[in-house]
Amino acid sequence: MEKKILNKDIQNYINANLNTDLHALLLKKSPFPEVSMLEIVQQIKGKQVAQRKFPFLLKEGIIFPPQLSLEQSSSEKTAGYKSEILKGKRFIDLTSGFGIDAYYLSRNFEEITLIEQNPDLLEIVRHNWHVLEKKAEFINQKLEDFLDRNEETFDVIYLDPARRDQQKNKVFLLEDLSPNILEIREKLLSISKEVVIKLSPLIDLKYLVSVLPGIFRIDIVALKNDVKEVIVFLNNENSENISCNCVNLESGEPNFTFLFGDEENAKAEYSEPERFIYIPNHAILKAGVFNLISEKMNVKKLHPNSHLYTFNEKINDFPGRIIEMEEIDNKQIKKKEQFNIISKNYPLKPEEIKKKYNIKDGGEKYLIFTQSKKGKIILKSI
Ligand SMILES: C[S@@+](CC[C@H](N)C(=O)[O-])C[C@H]1O[C@@H](n2cnc3c(N)ncnc32)[C@H](O)[C@@H]1O
């Protein structure tokens, strides 16, 4: 199909239908005998996803794979972040997929190898990289077979295991991923200085550290406060400490860095609400450093389970939102007023709160329903 789909008339048809209802389009007959409507719709979907996730591929001559491979791909933004961390001479991506990570991560390397078990997908990547004038060795093999025969060494091995099982349900135990990192870990570290693995944000960090020896760094990467990836770095150096970085891309917030285990000994200070309320970003909440953030950023916690913090002064380099607020009585909430509602450690969900107080959603102002040590409280932004 590949080359046929690039025919000018077919490409014009694809570009003219980028906003068409794809279900309706699928019911139609393809106007081109050489390609099916399914193939055309696949390209339209690809371009739609590319607009959101990897606009660098919105170029003439690029071919898109079926939806699953689009979904499994990293975004240009998170791949770009990883590319800044990694450099060396020889880079290998053992789970190339659509190659978004590989394209970015290999920026600071001289020799690039991509392994992918799916031959059609790898052919698409080979074609696209040719269009993008990027060179690599493309190997269509199961990575386990490649590793069995390989005699070369690398500076960085990258893996982004497939996170979907046969039923397409999300899974997040290492054993459920393809490949199973636990089975190939030793082999990987015997041929590379560093092994970098992208994992789902659903992975439990304590579990991860307990089952996977050799971790020296973990990055929790959010994009606009939506946690996208947990990136694990392994080497052979038996480091005593694991450095953790909470990153919130495109937020302007600083990274929050700590050593794994620091939370165990950290102590939070507590207070009733002061002038500013601090809401840590989701990368920090994912890391579970609820006491450490209080200790390191000098903000006081409202309640052991609320994960909201407060301080009289504004700490601009806090990794999260800072809202100037005052405590109010529920009688002070006016009907039909517009607020963004946050409910944390409170018995009612935002939807229920909206209904109860007859308030509208959105706008610039915030209402926080939570608990401090004295009990339930309501905070309103000033
Ligand atoms: C999550 S995707 C990778 C996406 C990629 N990082 C990107 O940004 O486009 C994982 C890929 O690994 C491939 N894969 C999974 N297990 C494999 C194995 N044992 N050998 C080779 N490839 C494998 C899958 O076919 C899939 O395309």
Side-chain angles (χ1 to χ4, degrees):
M1 122 183 180
E2 254 117 82
K3 303 288 180 285
K4 285 183 204 152
I5 204 89
L6 290 174
N7 168 297
K8 229 180 171 57
D9 290 339
I10 303 178
Q11 285 293 312
N12 287 342
Y13 183 83
I14 288 169
N15 290 331
N17 282 288
L18 289 181
N19 299 315
T20 307
D21 174 2
L22 298 185
H23 295 288
L25 204 58
L26 268 176
L27 296 176
K28 288 191 186 169
K29 194 171 168 286
S30 166
F32 308 98
E34 63 272 41
V35 294
S36 69
M37 198 48 115
L38 196 64
E39 288 167 320
I40 289 173
V41 166
Q42 180 176 315
Q43 297 309 305
I44 296 175
K45 274 194 188 147
K47 289 199 180 208
Q48 289 172 342
V49 174
Q51 280 168 352
R52 208 166 19 90
K53 277 177 87 176
F54 21 81
F56 81 104
L57 288 182
L58 291 171
K59 246 185 137 185
E60 206 176 304
I62 296 294
I63 294 174
F64 295 94
Q67 194 160 358
L68 180 63
S69 301
L70 294 170
E71 279 171 21
Q72 287 183 332
S73 302
S74 287
S75 72
E76 183 176 322
K77 302 258 166 64
T78 54
Y81 168 75
K82 285 173 277 189
S83 77
E84 287 165 22
I85 311 172
L86 303 174
K87 64 167 188 284
K89 188 161 182 273
R90 309 196 72 215
F91 172 88
I92 183 163
D93 185 339
L94 291 178
T95 55
S96 153
F98 190 33
I100 305 295
D101 275 328
Y103 184 82
Y104 278 89
L105 269 61
S106 61
R107 254 185 195 166
N108 300 319
F109 293 82
E110 291 164 30
E111 291 169 35
I112 306 159
T113 308
L114 304 193
I115 310 284
E116 170 56 51
Q117 66 187 1
N118 177 339
D120 298 339
L121 184 56
L122 193 66
E123 266 323 296
I124 291 177
V125 179
R126 189 201 296 270
H127 163 88
N128 287 345
W129 283 37
H130 180 70
V131 173
L132 297 165
E133 294 180 9
K134 175 129 174 144
K135 290 198 170 56
E137 188 181 353
F138 300 89
I139 302 175
N140 174 220
Q141 224 173 14
K142 276 192 93 64
L143 67 92
E144 293 82 356
D145 297 339
F146 169 83
L147 290 174
D148 279 346
R149 281 169 224 154
N150 168 64
E151 286 175 356
E152 296 179 39
T153 58
F154 301 91
D155 294 304
V156 171
I157 294 181
Y158 180 73
L159 294 112
D160 174 8
R163 288 180 301 277
R164 281 161 208 272
D165 59 19
Q166 293 300 75
Q167 288 82 45
K168 298 198 177 167
N169 292 326
K170 288 196 174 178
V171 290
F172 43 87
L173 286 180
L174 291 182
E175 289 89 333
D176 298 329
L177 300 176
S178 173
N180 180 352
I181 303 292
L182 300 176
E183 281 173 359
I184 56 173
R185 188 196 72 91
E186 271 184 51
K187 177 85 193 168
L188 298 176
L189 283 170
S190 71
I191 57 165
S192 184
K193 289 188 197 130
E194 201 170 316
V195 176
V196 181
I197 308 163
K198 170 181 155 186
L199 293 168
S200 157
L202 295 172
I203 199 96
D204 182 89
L205 299 184
K206 282 191 183 145
Y207 152 79
L208 185 65
V209 170
S210 71
V211 296
L212 199 60
I215 300 179
F216 69 94
R217 172 174 174 167
I218 299 175
D219 284 17
I220 299 159
V221 183
L223 176 63
K224 293 187 180 143
N225 211 18
D226 188 6
V227 182
K228 299 285 185 193
E229 303 180 1
V230 168
I231 311 164
V232 188
F233 299 74
L234 309 174
N235 64 16
N236 270 321
E237 287 170 26
N238 296 321
S239 355
E240 271 185 26
N241 292 321
I242 301 175
S243 135
C244 300
N245 300 294
C246 296
V247 181
N248 189 8
L249 300 174
E250 303 208 339
S251 67
E253 293 164 12
N255 295 354
F256 184 71
T257 301
F258 59 95
L259 295 181
F260 191 84
D262 277 358
E263 173 69 10
E264 312 300 320
N265 301 316
K267 286 207 170 47
E269 213 184 303
Y270 285 86
S271 163
E272 291 304 313
E274 296 182 4
R275 186 170 156 204
F276 293 99
I277 296 295
Y278 291 82
I279 310 174
N281 67 41
H282 285 139
I284 298 209
L285 296 179
K286 165 69 204 168
V289 282
F290 306 124
N291 292 334
L292 194 64
I293 191 84
S294 161
E295 197 176 276
K296 275 205 168 186
M297 297 307 301
N298 281 319
V299 286
K300 300 166 198 171
K301 211 165 187 303
L302 292 182
H303 182 278
N305 302 326
S306 292
H307 310 323
L308 290 170
Y309 302 79
T310 190
F311 193 50
N312 258 327
E313 284 162 38
K314 193 168 185 191
I315 302 165
N316 284 319
D317 62 351
F318 182 82
R321 265 186 294 172
I322 310 166
I323 314 175
E324 191 174 358
M325 304 196 93
E326 60 180 356
E327 197 178 334
I328 59 161
D329 199 271
N330 61 3
K331 293 184 196 76
Q332 289 170 265
I333 303 173
K334 291 195 201 103
K335 280 184 185 169
K336 304 262 190 259
E337 233 187 311
Q338 201 181 26
F339 288 104
N340 293 293
I341 298 161
I342 297 173
S343 164
K344 280 191 179 250
N345 193 24
Y346 194 81
L348 298 180
K349 295 193 186 93
E351 276 309 313
E352 295 168 318
I353 293 170
K354 247 185 272 172
K355 239 187 183 165
K356 179 170 173 188
Y357 294 101
N358 195 0
I359 34 187
K360 283 204 285 178
D361 203 5
E364 300 285 300
K365 295 203 161 182
Y366 285 87
L367 273 185
I368 298 182
F369 292 75
T370 187
Q371 290 182 62
S372 65
K373 280 205 165 174
K374 73 177 179 197
K376 283 188 235 160
I377 54 167
I378 305 173
L379 301 160
K380 181 180 156 196
S381 58
I382 298 172

